[in-house]
Each structure stands twice: as structure tokens, then as C-alpha cells.
Amino acid sequence: MATTTVSGGTTNAGSAVSSDPNVSNLTKTLLNNVNGSGGVFTTNSVGTPSSPALVQGADNSVFVVEGTSNVVQVGSQRSTYVIADQKATIAGGTGSGTIVGGAGGALLGTSTVPGGSYQLLGSTGNDTIIAAAGNNTIQGGAGTNVEGVFGGSNIVGVGQVSGANDTAVITGGNNTIFGGQVSSLIGVTGGTNTVVGGAAAETIVGGGGNNVFAGGGGQDLFLFTNLGVGGNYTVTDFGVGGTADTVAFVGLGATSVDKLLANATESGGSVKITFASSNVTVTFQNTTIASLRGNILLS
């Protein structure tokens, strides 16, 4: 493996690579004050999806992945920091640490084997970030990003960075998803999830799982559909704070708002709508049937 030792150990990895002409200024900035006491390394090992190059070192090691098509697998070290200097595919292992995309866009992910714990962070490129197992924190950067969650216990940040254009797809796991200052699309098709919207207008899609949705500020769209797996949803803040939220029911058999609401139940400040044939139940807290009436779309 073509790996070069830049430093045998330092508390500031940015300083260690500051004079390396092959490392981008963005990477140097992101590495400023990052602990590299386990060593700082650059690697240009290519690897392939079926046979990724292994980046293995001591705990608190830092790896800069150079090149534009590298595929690497992080080893079992703890508190590691791995950054794509340009464009790379980087997969976490069974250890822990931070994996960062660079300016060129990256595919960042976790192992499918439980045990890892990573921060997966986008940067200025267009990144795809995947969590398959483990306990992870995921956040896109300033580019156009796709964040996918298939398992594990994850905290997911969507639309957190100015200039971001994020889409999150959640199909499994136990997750908390936070919206931010930029409008984004959050789709949930499985797992147990809590979605907490931010100040921007989010589109939150429920296609399965057991979920709690809070839109936050902005004019949010809550869309519920049937993907054949049923779903149980609670919306905690529909229209709260004067926001003109909208709810859409798609493919659930409803053809008339009047008929839909005639079969809804209102009790204790909540409205429950059940689609028995699809095994889908949506409960709207802190609202009334009258408040919902003018804000429902059917398809």
C-alpha cells in the first residue's frame, strides 16, 4: 500500500501537512488542530469496491486519502480521522473516528458489521453518505448531498450548512434526523425515527416505520404514502407557530377530504386518521379537524 508517514505523532495534523504540495488547502484547513498523536499519513492506494485498500494504524491516527478514484477501508483503530483530499470512497471499520469528504465529492460510509462509531461529514463537494451499522453521526456539507441510512443508531443532520442541497433516505435503524437552515427532503421508509425539522421548509415523506415528525419552522410538507409495509406516524407541531404546513396523502385510497375527516377521530387535542387497508395511522397532535381541513392534499 502506497502510504507515506508525514508525522510520527502530533497534536496538530494541519501543521504536519502544511508544506505538502499534494494536499489541498481545504484539507490543510480541516486538519488544523486535529489530533494526530497516532501518526499522520498520506495514502494514494487505489483499491476497488470489491477489494478496498486498508488504512490501518494506531489509535488517534490521521490519514489523507489522495487521488481521484481511491477506495479505502478504515481498520479497527479508535479515534481515527480520515479525509478525502479530492474524490474517494471511504468506508469505516469496527473502530471509531471521523471520516470527511473533500472538495471533489466523496462516497463515505460505514461497515455493514456492527461495532463501529463514526462521524461522517460532508465538505464542499457533492457527497453520498451511507450508514449501514454502528452508532454514527452524519452531516452533509455545502454541496448537493445524499444521506442514506440502512441500519444502526444514527444522528443525521440534513440541510445544516448554507448552500447545501440535501436528500436523506432512511430505510432502517433507530435514528434522529435534524433539519436545518436550508430546505431539504427527508424520506423515511423503515426503522424507528424521530424527525425534527429546522428553520427551513422541509418535505418529510413517510413510507413506513414507526415515526415521530416535527416540522419546526418554515412551511413544511408532510407526505404519507403506502409502500406496502404500513406505518405509524405522529406529527407533533402541524401548523404550530402560525406556519402554513400542508399534509398530502398519496396512494392511500382517500378521494375526498370531507369523507377522510368524517372518519377521523379528535380527542385530547389530537386528530387521528387511519387507513385500515394500508395499515397506516397518522396522529396529529396539538391541532383540530377544523385546522387540518384547508391544508390537505389527496392523490
Side-chain angles (χ1 to χ4, degrees), residues 52-78:
L54 180 67
V55 288
Q56 176 75 53
D59 292 351
N60 296 300
S61 55
V62 173
F63 288 88
V64 178
V65 181
E66 299 178 327
T68 59
S69 59
N70 295 5
V71 181
V72 301
Q73 171 77 57
V74 181
S76 59
Q77 66 264 29
R78 314 297 293 181

Side-chain angles (χ1 to χ4, degrees), residues 20-28 30 42-44 63-71 82-90 100-108 121-128:
D20 190 334
N22 296 317
V23 176
S24 69
N25 289 331
L26 174 63
T27 295
K28 293 173 182 177
L30 292 173
T42 59
T43 179
N44 58 11
F63 288 88
V64 178
V65 181
E66 299 178 327
T68 59
S69 59
N70 295 5
V71 181
V82 184
I83 183 168
D85 187 54
Q86 298 181 50
K87 184 176 183 178
T89 298
I90 305 174
V100 182
L107 172 59
L108 313 176
L121 308 177
S123 187
T124 59
N126 300 326
D127 301 309
T128 300

